[in-house]
Amino acid sequence: MFQLLKTFVTVYEIRNFTQAAQQLFLSQPTISLQIKKLEEQLQTSLFIRSGKQEIQPTEEADFFYPRALQILETWQDTTARLQEKENFREHCTIACSHTCGVYFVPAIVAYLIHHHPHVDFSLQLMNSEEVVHQLEQNKADIGFIEKAVRSELLTQKAIYQDQLVLAGDPQSAYWLLRENDSGLRFANENYLKRHNLNPHLVHVNNNEMLLSLLSQGVGQAIISNLSVREDLSWQELPEENQRYFYLMTPKQRFRDIIKHILTSIDEYLAEKPS
């Protein structure tokens, strides 16, 4: 049954039998047979076959997908704990967007490690959209991002008000931009449009590299006040100089340990000086 669920989740996410077979190291006929077997057991159709390889999930599949993820998560957690039966260690994967992950989340993780010594934490750094994707696909337990993102599967809560500043050489004709789907990319593009600016653009997909370029006198950019270095010139923004960091969690998939960790995060935020 668990192999059938794993196959269903992979097909649902990829929407292609052949690519799902490649990812699972199975043959395409085996994938089709497993989906058919699962449909027979559930007595419902999960996919509409619109072509040789093209498929679309049914409403029943949309309903079943988060529940299949929850079943698999419970099974994986149970087997992992049994394999670690001597100390029964738990695990928690936290996905963070760049500024959150480097300048905000480490203090939270230090607090969590102190209060949950039996938990093995895994931290992953990516842009905000990727954090949401990881949470939706059950590849992360908790997410921290720098811009509001809609998701029917996730709960979003504003937890910190971040101050934005304009850093770098104000006379430079160059502007540094992060990659698409980055929270800072969104803030910078809004600023350029609002002030009708059309500078030469330098695209950078890493925040530390962007800061180093600014320190070397290359261009200017809007950044978080949390990331300002001593060797970096900057000035306050006259308008729209704030944004929020958000805590993202799945609506339906909570292991008990994740609930406890979220309670600890709330406690840390309540104790943290403003």
Side-chain angles (χ1 to χ4, degrees):
M1 171 57 74
F2 292 105
Q3 180 58 50
L4 299 184
L5 292 177
K6 185 176 180 180
T7 297
F8 162 74
V9 166
T10 304
V11 172
Y12 181 91
E13 293 173 352
I14 297 179
R15 313 291 169 93
N16 184 287
F17 281 131
T18 299
Q19 293 178 15
Q22 293 172 350
Q23 181 167 319
L24 294 172
F25 301 102
L26 298 172
S27 67
Q28 190 272 332
T30 299
I31 293 292
S32 299
L33 183 62
Q34 290 182 352
I35 293 298
K36 182 178 180 181
K37 185 175 181 180
L38 183 60
E39 289 177 326
E40 290 174 350
Q41 291 185 9
L42 297 175
Q43 297 183 356
T44 189
S45 177
L46 296 172
F47 297 101
I48 300 173
R49 283 77 164 173
S50 56
K52 187 174 181 180
Q53 298 296 338
E54 296 179 1
I55 58 173
Q56 290 296 325
T58 62
E59 291 184 4
E60 290 79 5
D62 292 336
F63 171 83
F64 184 54
Y65 173 70
R67 289 158 178 81
L69 286 176
Q70 186 173 16
I71 295 170
L72 288 173
E73 179 183 22
T74 301
W75 173 251
Q76 292 166 358
D77 179 61
T78 300
T79 56
R81 291 196 64 186
L82 288 174
Q83 290 171 4
E84 295 286 341
K85 57 186 178 182
E86 292 183 359
N87 52 21
F88 280 97
R89 295 192 65 78
E90 300 275 9
H91 67 275
C92 175
T93 299
I94 300 176
C96 322
S97 57
H98 287 260
T99 301
C100 281
V102 175
Y103 303 103
F104 183 72
V105 173
I108 295 178
V109 173
Y111 184 90
L112 295 177
I113 288 175
H114 176 73
H115 287 81
H116 301 278
H118 60 293
V119 177
D120 293 325
F121 289 94
S122 175
L123 307 179
Q124 301 176 356
L125 206 60
M126 58 197 71
N127 65 42
S128 296
E129 294 287 349
E130 290 173 326
V131 170
V132 171
H133 189 62
Q134 292 289 303
L135 289 167
E136 289 178 336
Q137 294 197 355
N138 197 32
K139 296 177 181 177
D141 300 303
I142 297 170
F144 293 91
I145 62 175
E146 302 161 34
K147 67 175 183 178
V149 177
R150 287 187 177 182
S151 172
E152 295 181 357
L153 300 177
L154 306 177
T155 297
Q156 175 178 273
K157 180 171 68 172
I159 59 172
Y160 179 77
Q161 192 173 60
D162 184 35
Q163 300 295 319
L164 297 175
V165 299
L166 179 58
D169 179 6
Q171 304 302 319
S172 176
Y174 290 88
W175 202 279
L176 308 185
L177 279 185
R178 288 283 306 282
E179 72 277 9
N180 289 330
D181 300 327
S182 162
L184 282 176
R185 171 69 173 255
F186 180 74
N188 276 268
E189 287 184 334
N190 280 348
Y191 182 87
L192 293 177
K193 291 177 182 178
R194 189 166 61 249
H195 293 275
N196 196 28
L197 298 176
N198 188 30
H200 302 299
L201 301 178
V202 178
H203 295 88
V204 186
N205 69 349
N206 179 277
N207 205 54
E208 289 302 304
M209 180 180 289
L210 184 146
L211 294 173
S212 294
L213 288 170
L214 292 175
S215 296
Q216 293 296 320
V218 179
Q220 53 186 319
I222 293 173
I223 63 173
S224 168
N225 188 51
L226 293 175
S227 65
V228 171
R229 301 173 175 176
E230 293 183 0
D231 62 345
L232 190 59
S233 61
W234 60 276
Q235 57 184 300
E236 294 183 356
L237 291 171
E239 55 188 7
E240 294 192 21
N241 58 354
Q242 297 177 339
R243 63 172 179 173
Y244 286 95
F245 290 168
Y246 296 91
L247 173 66
M248 306 292 292
T249 53
K251 289 182 178 179
Q252 300 186 29
R253 305 189 306 276
F254 277 154
R255 290 179 285 129
D256 286 341
I257 185 57
I258 302 303
K259 294 179 182 178
H260 297 324
I261 290 172
L262 289 172
T263 298
S264 293
I265 292 175
D266 287 338
E267 292 171 352
Y268 168 84
L269 295 173
E271 297 173 5
K272 185 179 185 299
S274 57

